[in-house]
Amino acid sequence: MNNLIKQRIVNYFNGQLSPEEEVGLLAWLKESEANRNYFFQIKENLDPEKMEHPLLKSSYSGLINKLLIGHPFKSVSPGRVKKIRLSFARVAAMLLVAIFTGFAAAHIFIGKSSESIPVTWFSTYVPRGEKSQLLLPDGSKVWLNAESVLSYPGNFMENNRQVKLEGEAYFEVAKQEGSDFTVETRDYEVRVTGTRFNVMAYPDFHRTEAILIEGKIEIRKGRQIIDVEPGQTLIFKEDQFLLEKTDAVKAANWKDGIFDFDKITFEELVKRLERWYDVDMEIINPGLNKISYSGVFKNEETIDEVLTTLQVAIPFHYTRDGFRKFRIEINESE
């Protein structure tokens, strides 16, 4: 059985499955976590240079979009739970064909009316090497960066426009009279009326940033409320808030495939590259981590081209240690 499934997975990435076989593969993936783990294991061992299909990553994104990758989890509000009607339209996202990444579509699934049930939350996950655009039920648009999770409640349209974010997302919030839009992160809450802004909340960056491009937002943490104006970035780091003037539009360019950095550490740069290119990088010399870097590159460039460009400004060399693994070391001669 495993050999048959393995061949079917390989055939899928080679573009050789019939529509009926693809439906069967999707049904098999939905059966269990073990099946999905086996699928990912086979996918990780595939070499794009040996595959007949020209877009291995796009093929992967296409199937992930059809898979219930966001597992719902339940939470119960205090007091009696009222009758909730869940009515969400399935949303197709844009696919951006590029050498190293593509927009993975996001799906919002259908629920049914039910008496006295807890609120169900739905999650959309974007894997490493991908970006995704999705449309929320109120018309708000969200762009999710690589390795990010966005969750929203089943009663989202019932004056509960609340989402939870881990990772990075750019929002264009639809105005709705009398209904605020809230983004909850691990550090604070962003309250919105109708606006464009970017939120970065990756746990391994050890800070949370909210960057306002247009409109109005306020940051709430406990009883503390901070208003943010367009062009400002509010950073929460080491239990302190810091308000800075920034080029807000520049900070959100990632959604258009432009990676524009201003004085970030080499350690953070490497983590971002790992997410965008779905690779693993081992920094051999810790001294590299604190080096500051500023620069711009586009998604047309391969990971090797990016690393070669970085070598002009940062004294390091790199070697491949497997298909998606790199070793980065200081140039001793520098």
Side-chain angles (χ1 to χ4, degrees):
M1 178 63 177
N2 275 359
N3 287 337
L4 177 62
I5 289 295
K6 179 179 179 180
Q7 189 57 52
R8 185 157 293 185
I9 294 171
V10 174
N11 287 347
Y12 173 77
F13 285 113
N14 274 327
Q16 297 173 345
L17 281 190
S18 67
E20 293 78 14
E21 289 173 325
E22 183 177 325
V23 169
L25 177 61
L26 182 62
W28 177 81
L29 282 167
K30 292 180 180 180
E31 285 177 3
S32 70
E33 188 69 27
N35 289 354
R36 289 187 286 274
N37 288 338
Y38 182 71
F39 170 82
F40 296 139
Q41 178 185 343
I42 298 300
K43 182 257 180 184
E44 287 302 312
N45 290 326
L46 295 177
D47 186 345
E49 295 181 2
K50 297 179 181 178
M51 302 298 289
E52 296 177 21
H53 199 287
L55 290 174
L56 169 61
K57 195 169 288 296
S58 295
S59 300
Y60 173 60
S61 299
L63 193 62
I64 289 300
N65 296 331
K66 300 167 188 174
L67 181 64
L68 295 180
I69 199 163
H71 303 291
F73 58 95
K74 296 183 178 181
S75 62
V76 182
S77 300
R80 184 179 178 182
V81 180
K82 298 180 180 179
K83 178 179 178 181
I84 299 169
R85 184 185 178 195
L86 308 180
S87 179
F88 292 97
R90 182 178 177 182
V91 178
M94 300 187 305
L95 175 66
L96 175 62
V97 179
I99 290 177
F100 74 92
T101 190
F103 278 119
H107 288 265
I108 300 174
F109 306 106
I110 298 174
K112 296 183 179 180
S113 298
S114 181
E115 296 285 350
S116 300
I117 61 172
V119 175
T120 298
W121 285 73
F122 298 90
S123 297
T124 296
Y125 169 70
V126 179
R128 293 205 310 179
E130 305 290 341
K131 292 192 294 289
S132 179
Q133 182 187 6
L134 62 97
L135 185 69
L136 293 177
D138 66 339
S140 296
K141 298 177 183 178
V142 184
W143 284 257
L144 283 174
N145 209 342
E147 211 168 25
S148 298
V149 183
L150 186 79
S151 305
Y152 60 90
N155 60 350
F156 182 86
M157 290 301 290
E158 298 181 9
N159 293 319
N160 187 27
R161 294 200 300 163
Q162 175 189 11
V163 300
K164 296 179 181 179
L165 173 68
E166 181 174 304
E168 185 168 20
Y170 169 80
F171 295 85
E172 291 186 357
V173 176
K175 291 185 178 180
Q176 195 173 101
E177 203 66 37
S179 176
D180 287 344
F181 186 101
T182 303
V183 181
E184 184 179 324
T185 72
R186 65 192 180 95
D187 286 324
Y188 55 69
E189 187 178 88
V190 184
R191 299 287 291 274
V192 187
T193 53
T195 189
R196 297 190 296 138
F197 62 100
N198 193 85
V199 178
M200 192 282 294
Y202 285 115
D204 56 356
F205 284 177
H206 308 297
R207 71 182 189 280
T208 302
E209 294 182 357
I211 305 171
L212 182 59
I213 298 171
E214 177 185 286
K216 179 182 178 182
I217 62 175
E218 62 181 28
I219 306 302
R220 297 192 174 200
K221 184 175 178 63
R223 295 183 178 180
Q224 191 171 10
I225 300 176
I226 302 174
D227 291 323
V228 181
E229 298 179 357
Q232 290 183 331
T233 297
L234 185 68
I235 303 170
F236 183 79
K237 184 178 182 180
E238 298 176 349
D239 292 324
Q240 292 185 336
F241 281 108
L242 177 64
L243 195 60
E244 295 182 347
K245 190 75 175 177
T246 58
D247 186 339
V249 175
K250 175 179 176 179
N253 278 340
W254 62 263
K255 71 182 180 64
D256 299 314
I258 301 173
F259 310 127
D260 198 336
F261 306 109
D262 185 20
K263 297 178 181 177
I264 67 170
T265 64
F266 187 70
E267 180 180 22
E268 180 173 326
L269 176 61
V270 165
K271 288 178 180 178
R272 288 185 177 274
L273 292 177
E274 287 180 323
R275 287 191 167 101
W276 290 332
Y277 287 94
D278 190 12
V279 297
D280 293 307
M281 298 185 183
E282 181 184 6
I283 300 177
I284 305 301
N285 309 100
L288 283 168
N289 287 332
K290 302 305 178 183
I291 294 177
S292 181
Y293 174 78
S294 299
V296 182
F297 57 91
K298 297 183 179 181
N299 65 359
E300 288 91 350
E301 297 168 329
T302 66
I303 182 62
D304 288 285
E305 289 172 334
V306 170
L307 290 175
T308 299
T309 300
L310 290 174
Q311 288 176 317
V312 175
I314 302 174
F316 74 92
H317 70 273
Y318 72 93
T319 55
R320 281 186 178 269
D321 185 19
F323 177 55
R324 289 193 177 90
K325 295 183 178 180
F326 295 80
R327 289 169 55 89
I328 296 177
E329 301 178 73
I330 290 177
N331 280 338
E332 299 296 341
S333 59
E334 295 292 334

